[in-house]
């Protein structure tokens, strides 16, 4: 009996030492295999008497059952250990932050446009939209461009089939909007009432045959027009100064109205700004063209220039965006490089 107990004990020890299922199967063979200890004992029974065979056989069977039980127990333990290991290795950390899908964002120039609309909206300006394919009348004629004006030449203007053109500025919106406005208030005006003031901005895409670091064949402008009975250059200065302070979020900014020429304004001025601090400090930067609307242009609105007067401006929205964000190459706006664009999220 002690011999059998010793075998069972050594089987338990051997199984306990088996670190893997393969080790365990090898250990099993030592006891239950064809030449294993138990098998050998069974074979040894052949020489015994019937009575001895019975008791010996029962004892060996008990030992065999004990070994099999130990084997099963160890198999289960090893399988469980393996499963635990696997679960640990393939663990899903549900507390990890997920990987987000890129959301995309508005283009910096669109952000500027929205900002400009908001600022002028707060000053009582309507926002108008108009066609990018224009005809000669709205783009030039209504704006008092003489027939032979150089801007009409092929090298400045993109012409499309049928004699139309891609608008070279947002100024055609002056006439489009004003004529509608006058039409709308015609009835009351014919009874002698004063026309409600025209106060509008028209943001949009514009086109010119031009391309370098500071010019793109497609660019953005925002037109402004304010017409009333008593609207002066002083109002232009106030409005535009206010706008710049709000747009750039600083009052440390000077404006200069530099005499210039446009066929549709008289007098005309380029508007330059200069920051008092920051990387651009001390340089005059041109941001808009402007002026008092020319009497002939007012006439083309269907209004009496003796009665109605005002100002217009056209600003470069790409330019303003470059200055606001410190972008030094206009082409970055049109390259579509996500690394650049995602900085404006
Ligand atoms: N349309 C002019 C340009 O593109 C700018 C401008 C607009 C000037 C309105 C005066 C008044 O350069």
């Amino acid at each position: 009996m002690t011999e059998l107990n010793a075998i069972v004990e050594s089987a338990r020890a051997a199984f306990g030492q088996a670190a893997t299922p393969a080790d365990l199967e090898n250990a099993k063979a030592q006891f239950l295999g064809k030449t294993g200890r138990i098998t050998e004992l069974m074979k040894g029974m052949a020489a015994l008497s019937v009575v001895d065979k019975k008791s010996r056989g029962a004892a060996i069977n008990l030992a065999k059952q004990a070994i099999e039980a130990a084997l099963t127990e160890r198999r289960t333990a090893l399988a469980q250990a393996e499963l635990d290991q696997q679960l640990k290795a393939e663990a899903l950390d549900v507390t990890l932050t997920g990987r987000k899908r890129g959301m995309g964002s508005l283009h910096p120039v669109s952000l500027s446009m929205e900002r400009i609309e908001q600022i002028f909206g707060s000053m009582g300006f309507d926002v108008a939209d108009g066609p990018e394919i224009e005809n000669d009348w709205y783009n030039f004629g209504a704006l008092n461009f003489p027939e032979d004006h150089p801007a009409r030449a092929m090298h400045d203007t993109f012409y499309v089939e049928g004699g139309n053109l891609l608008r070279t500025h947002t100024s055609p919106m002056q006439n489009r909007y004003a004529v509608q406005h006058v039409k709308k208030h015609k009835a009351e005006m014919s009874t002698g009432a004063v026309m409600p003031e025209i106060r509008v901005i028209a943001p949009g895409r514009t086109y010119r045959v031009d391309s370098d670091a500071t010019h793109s064949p497609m660019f953005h402008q925002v037109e402004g027009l304010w017409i009333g009975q008593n609207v002066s250059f002083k109002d232009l200065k106030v409005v535009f100064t206010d706008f710049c302070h709000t747009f750039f979020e600083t009052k440390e900014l000077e404006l200069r109205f530099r005499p210039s020429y446009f066929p549709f304004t008289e007098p005309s001025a380029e508007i330059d700004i200069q920051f008092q601090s920051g990387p651009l400090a001390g340089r005059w930067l041109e941001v808009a063209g402007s002026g008092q609307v020319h009497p002939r242009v007012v006439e083309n609105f269907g209004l009496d220039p003796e009665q109605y007067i005002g100002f217009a401006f056209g600003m470069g929205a790409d330019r303003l965006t470059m200055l606001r964000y410190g972008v030094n190459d206009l082409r970055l706006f049109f390259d579509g490089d996500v690394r650049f664009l995602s900085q404006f999220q």
Side-chain angles (χ1 to χ4, degrees):
M1 285 309 150
T2 34
E3 186 210 0
L4 284 174
N5 281 341
I7 293 177
V8 171
E9 278 318 306
S10 68
R12 283 206 179 107
F15 296 165
Q17 269 168 22
T20 66
D23 287 350
L24 185 62
E25 292 317 307
N26 285 334
K28 172 196 163 187
Q30 283 175 41
F31 298 95
L32 304 174
K34 264 186 197 156
T35 57
R37 309 263 302 265
I38 295 293
T39 322
E40 292 300 325
L41 287 178
M42 298 277 212
K43 284 179 195 161
M45 286 202 316
L48 296 180
S49 68
V50 176
V51 179
D52 283 352
K53 249 187 203 160
K54 205 171 177 185
S55 61
R56 180 73 174 159
I60 295 177
N61 254 334
L62 275 179
K64 191 181 172 191
Q65 280 165 18
I67 293 173
E68 277 169 348
L71 180 68
T72 308
E73 196 184 319
R74 186 63 185 154
R75 264 196 195 128
T76 313
L78 282 180
Q80 186 61 48
E82 195 175 41
L83 186 64
D84 287 348
Q85 184 81 36
Q86 194 181 353
L87 283 175
K88 218 161 135 191
E90 295 170 10
L92 244 189
D93 185 350
V94 292
T95 65
L96 272 180
T97 21
R99 269 184 227 117
K100 265 196 265 174
R101 198 174 255 248
M103 283 289 284
S105 60
L106 285 180
H107 190 279
V109 174
S110 303
L111 291 173
S112 278
M113 292 292 221
E114 282 194 348
R115 193 171 167 75
I116 293 167
E117 288 173 22
Q118 205 179 4
I119 296 169
F120 278 100
S122 77
M123 295 194 251
F125 281 75
D126 192 9
V127 179
D129 202 8
E132 289 168 34
I133 298 178
E134 264 300 2
N135 61 35
D136 187 86
W137 167 249
Y138 287 115
N139 198 80
F140 296 122
L143 291 162
N144 195 36
F145 277 80
E147 274 312 320
D148 57 353
H149 195 277
R152 280 187 150 125
M154 293 289 289
H155 66 268
D156 272 338
T157 306
F158 288 110
Y159 284 91
V160 298
E161 280 172 26
N164 286 334
L165 50 88
L166 299 183
R167 63 178 179 190
T168 59
H169 52 181
T170 43
S171 298
M173 281 306 292
Q174 289 186 25
N175 187 283
R176 282 186 178 275
Y177 186 89
V179 166
Q180 287 304 313
H181 184 90
V182 170
K183 211 189 244 172
K184 205 160 90 192
H185 298 284
K186 208 178 180 131
E188 50 192 278
M189 284 164 75
S190 67
T191 66
V194 172
M195 177 192 74
E197 287 187 349
I198 293 172
R199 223 179 289 168
V200 66
I201 61 162
R205 279 183 280 270
T206 45
Y207 303 84
R208 275 180 219 177
V209 184
D210 217 350
S211 188
D212 58 43
T214 52
H215 296 90
S216 147
M218 190 281 290
F219 56 106
H220 299 84
Q221 283 195 339
V222 180
E223 193 76 10
L225 178 68
W226 186 346
I227 300 287
Q229 287 202 302
N230 201 10
V231 182
S232 73
F233 217 98
K234 182 192 73 191
D235 297 304
L236 167 63
K237 283 189 156 184
V238 170
V239 163
F240 212 86
T241 304
D242 258 12
F243 162 73
C244 286
H245 287 166
T246 313
F247 183 81
F248 291 108
E249 293 172 276
T250 178
K251 289 205 155 110
E252 312 252 288
L253 178 80
E254 268 189 77
L255 276 81
R256 175 173 83 176
F257 289 76
R258 178 166 43 88
S260 184
Y261 172 80
F262 298 101
F264 39 97
T265 47
E266 180 61 34
S268 305
E270 304 283 351
I271 308 177
D272 301 335
I273 62 168
Q274 188 182 68
F275 295 97
Q276 267 128 55
S277 57
L280 294 166
R283 276 167 53 198
W284 285 110
L285 310 154
E286 188 185 313
V287 291
S290 68
Q292 185 158 307
V293 179
H294 195 286
R296 224 168 280 151
V297 174
V298 175
E299 221 166 64
N300 290 334
F301 293 164
L303 293 172
D304 175 5
E306 293 295 327
Q307 208 187 342
Y308 292 98
I309 192 168
F311 64 79
F313 58 82
M315 51 189 172
D318 311 281
R319 198 77 213 288
L320 287 168
T321 311
M322 287 172 79
L323 295 175
R324 179 160 149 79
Y325 294 112
V327 173
N328 53 19
D329 191 330
L330 176 71
R331 289 169 293 201
L332 285 166
F333 288 147
F334 307 114
D335 285 345
D337 188 331
V338 177
R339 289 167 302 176
F340 171 74
L341 296 174
S342 62
Q343 294 176 56
F344 301 90
Q345 265 171 4

